[in-house]
Amino acid sequence: MENPNPTAALDAALSPDGSQVIYAGPGDIKDLWLADLNTGTKRNLTNTPDRAEFSPHWWPARPDVTVFESRPADEEYDYSGHPTVINLDGSGYRVLDAFTGGPVALSPDGQSLAFGCCGFQGVIYNWDLGATPLDPYSFNVSIQKLFNPAWSPDGKRLAWVVGGNLTAPDAWQIGVAIFDIGAHTVRFLHVYEPLGGTEPQMDLAWSPDGQWLAFINQNETQEQGRERYLWVIQPDGQEEYNLGNGYNPVWSPDGGYLAFNHSSGTPPVERISVVPYGQW
């Protein structure tokens, strides 16, 4: 499968049952729209001329709401927004944190959202109790930047792509950190010192059985350079495999396959590859 315009992305999310899609647009100040794929009807879900909405998510544990990122219309776009929710009937629009932003991870039990990005500390937002900071220093680790949280399928661990003085006090390093929230411990995976000051990448995905974690790295070696490489690793760090050029990893619902984007050629053409589970 090829995409002649690899820079174009569809800011949309398909419902778990495949009957509806939430998408951003059209226009520069984007609203979220809800479309019924069976009837073809669509409606403006957010209808907020003073805010822009993007990156929608369905939350299987809370089927009546959607979670997304938003920002004031006059705020400069910087690749992330503030976590926001709305009911699917258009009521209950609520910005959960007007100061911290970044990609959002939704817990399997429907109780918690994790978010944070860049120089912010992480935040865990409990649906009933509100926000609690996730301060890496309280775990006795030196993490300066957090990116793209992802809950484990059992909801007990929270993985982040991180940057900082992870295992060496005088070196900027990138890796994956797995926070065990209950035990209050952290395990670092695939820590390396990037060449050229690369920022942590934004792709991180657990397999449905929790036995593998897919992640992206960049500039680990001189030969790799700016090319994005896809890896799968066991959460205990015992095994890891390089799948080559790749990004945007997505597991099939049954966990039998890992799909991802990769690009090749001049000009680059974007393609999709699928790898059966365990055939790394």
Side-chain angles (χ1 to χ4, degrees):
M1 183 180 300
E2 298 184 1
N3 178 2
N5 183 5
T7 63
L10 181 62
D11 201 355
L14 186 67
S15 65
D17 65 3
S19 67
Q20 300 179 90
V21 63
I22 297 175
Y23 62 96
D28 293 332
I29 307 302
K30 296 183 181 298
D31 286 318
L32 291 185
W33 290 70
L34 178 64
D36 188 306
L37 299 181
N38 295 319
T39 65
T41 59
K42 61 182 180 180
R43 60 182 170 88
N44 190 327
L45 182 61
T46 54
N47 196 22
T48 52
D50 60 334
R51 295 190 71 83
E53 290 92 16
F54 47 96
S55 300
H57 300 272
W58 294 88
W59 199 350
R62 290 188 178 271
D64 295 331
V65 306
T66 183
V67 182
F68 51 96
E69 296 175 54
S70 72
R71 60 179 175 84
D74 58 356
E75 182 177 286
E76 183 177 355
Y77 178 63
D78 63 354
Y79 303 103
S80 66
H82 306 288
T84 311
V85 298
I86 193 171
N87 297 325
L88 293 186
D89 63 6
S91 65
Y93 190 108
R94 180 160 52 112
V95 179
L96 302 182
D97 191 316
F99 303 101
T100 302
V104 176
L106 308 176
S107 68
D109 64 1
Q111 277 300 113
S112 300
L113 303 86
F115 52 89
C117 178
C118 314
F120 294 117
Q121 64 185 0
V123 175
I124 297 179
Y125 187 96
N126 183 280
W127 191 262
D128 299 318
L129 302 177
T132 300
L134 178 67
D135 184 357
Y137 290 100
S138 72
F139 287 78
N140 297 316
V141 293
S142 180
I143 295 173
Q144 283 75 48
K145 293 191 176 184
L146 296 161
F147 292 80
N148 201 41
W151 289 98
S152 62
D154 62 8
K156 297 179 179 179
R157 294 164 293 173
L158 185 59
W160 298 76
V161 181
V162 295
N165 311 121
L166 306 181
T167 61
D170 300 319
W172 170 258
Q173 299 169 309
I174 290 174
V176 176
I178 298 182
F179 291 81
D180 187 312
I181 304 302
H184 206 73
T185 60
V186 178
R187 178 189 297 273
F188 288 124
L189 305 175
H190 199 97
V191 174
Y192 69 98
E193 187 174 346
L195 304 175
T198 302
E199 295 292 343
Q201 293 302 295
M202 303 297 287
D203 301 327
L204 191 64
W206 290 86
S207 63
D209 64 3
Q211 298 302 306
W212 295 94
L213 194 61
F215 69 96
I216 308 300
N217 81 334
Q218 196 178 59
N219 267 22
E220 184 170 357
T221 66
Q222 195 71 46
E223 294 74 22
Q224 178 185 6
R226 300 289 297 178
E227 195 81 17
R228 289 172 291 180
Y229 274 57
L230 174 64
W231 295 74
V232 290
I233 191 168
Q234 292 182 332
D236 61 5
Q238 292 300 306
E239 293 186 51
E240 66 175 0
Y241 299 93
N242 183 353
L243 304 187
N245 169 250
Y247 44 95
N248 297 334
V250 177
W251 297 89
S252 63
D254 65 358
Y257 297 90
L258 175 64
F260 56 94
N261 294 95
H262 65 97
S263 59
S264 61
T266 305
V269 175
E270 187 173 288
R271 297 179 170 86
I272 295 176
S273 291
V274 178
V275 177
Y277 181 93
Q279 296 186 23
W280 320 126

